[in-house]
């Protein structure tokens, strides 16, 4: 009888120990802002422009090796055109910072917070997030790929959803070759 009780106690203690595994804690990994890059490309009837904008801070959240979340802050005052030089670059950079576009004097940062992350393949994820530009928050969908300590994402953003309507053929008539398309692209390369 004593042997049976000891065996039962032994089985209970070690059985619970073996089956009561602790869940893997989520790990937040800070993004190296200086080593990361955010580039933009905007389109107009007569061509396009591209440039960069600085990531102020950010992090990615993992459960083991699976991406589960992320938060980012972009310094809007750093928006810069890279396909122009001199006076043309200065004019476009100034215009992008003005109330016609991003109004960076009143809206110094933009944010992106992941709200849903779904694995879509090896190291690939479909992400839904809340993007805030000029104090307006809208849901966006995009793809993220993770390779070691690097991540890439591609977003297509409709600027008019954030009250950026300057030169939009959706809101103004007779713009001709001065029309600027509503969507612009963001390509994000992160190191963490």
């Amino acid at each position: 009888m004593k042997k049976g009780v000891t065996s039962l106690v032994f089985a209970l203690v070690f059985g619970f120990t073996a089956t009561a595994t602790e869940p893997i804690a989520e790990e937040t990994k800070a993004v190296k802002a200086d080593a990361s890059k955010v580039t933009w490309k905007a389109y107009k009837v007569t061509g396009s422009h591209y440039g960069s904008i600085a990531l102020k801070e950010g992090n990615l959240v993992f459960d083991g090796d699976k991406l589960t979340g992320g938060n980012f802050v972009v310094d809007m005052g750093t928006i810069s055109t890279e396909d122009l030089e001199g006076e043309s670059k200065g004019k476009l950079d100034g215009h992008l910072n003005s109330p016609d576009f991003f109004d960076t004097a009143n809206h110094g940062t933009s944010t992106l917070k992941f709200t849903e992350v779904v694995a879509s393949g090896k190291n690939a994820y479909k992400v839904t997030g809340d993007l805030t530009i000029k104090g307006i928050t809208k849901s966006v969908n995009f793809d993220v790929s993770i390779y070691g300590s690097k991540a890439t994402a591609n977003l297509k953003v409709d600027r008019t959803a954030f009250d950026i309507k300057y030169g939009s053929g959706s809101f103004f008539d007779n713009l001709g070759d001065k029309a600027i398309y509503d969507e612009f692209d963001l390509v994000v390369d992160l190191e963490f």
Side-chain angles (χ1 to χ4, degrees):
M1 172 97 173
K2 190 173 183 178
K3 184 176 180 185
V5 171
T6 303
S7 296
L8 179 61
V9 170
F10 185 82
L12 287 173
V13 169
F14 287 100
F16 284 125
T17 303
T19 58
T21 59
E22 291 188 30
I24 298 172
E26 285 192 333
E27 181 182 3
T28 300
K29 296 182 180 183
V31 171
K32 298 174 185 172
D34 292 344
S36 299
K37 185 165 183 162
V38 180
T39 55
W40 58 267
K41 187 168 187 179
Y43 306 89
K44 56 185 183 173
V45 172
T46 58
S48 63
H49 290 292
Y50 65 88
S52 63
I53 190 164
L55 181 66
K56 187 173 184 178
E57 62 187 17
N59 63 63
L60 292 169
V61 181
F62 291 87
D63 186 351
D65 63 350
K66 302 293 183 204
L67 180 68
T68 59
N71 289 287
F72 302 92
V73 179
V74 173
D75 181 354
M76 294 305 296
T78 65
I79 193 163
S80 178
T81 309
E82 295 180 356
D83 65 313
L84 298 173
E85 295 179 353
E87 187 178 336
S88 296
K89 174 182 171 39
K91 282 183 179 179
L92 183 52
D93 287 353
H95 200 191
L96 290 172
N97 281 281
S98 78
D100 282 343
F101 286 94
F102 296 101
D103 193 11
T104 60
N106 293 308
H107 303 282
T109 60
S110 289
T111 61
L112 175 64
K113 180 179 181 179
F114 293 7
T115 57
E116 182 180 25
V117 180
V118 177
S120 60
K122 184 177 167 101
N123 304 319
Y125 301 88
K126 297 278 186 195
V127 177
T128 301
D130 286 338
L131 178 62
T132 302
I133 300 174
K134 291 179 72 173
I136 300 168
T137 302
K138 298 290 181 182
S139 182
V140 292
N141 298 301
F142 54 96
D143 295 322
V144 175
S145 298
I146 306 284
Y147 303 99
S149 62
K150 295 185 178 185
T152 61
N154 296 293
L155 291 82
K156 193 166 281 296
V157 179
D158 180 350
R159 65 188 176 96
T160 62
F162 301 93
D163 197 32
I164 304 169
K165 299 174 183 168
Y166 182 87
S168 169
S170 299
F171 293 90
F172 302 99
D173 295 327
N174 303 318
L175 292 171
D177 64 0
K178 303 281 188 210
I180 303 168
Y181 295 121
D182 293 345
E183 291 187 324
F184 67 92
D185 295 325
L186 289 175
V187 177
V188 183
D189 294 303
L190 304 172
E191 287 192 30
F192 54 93

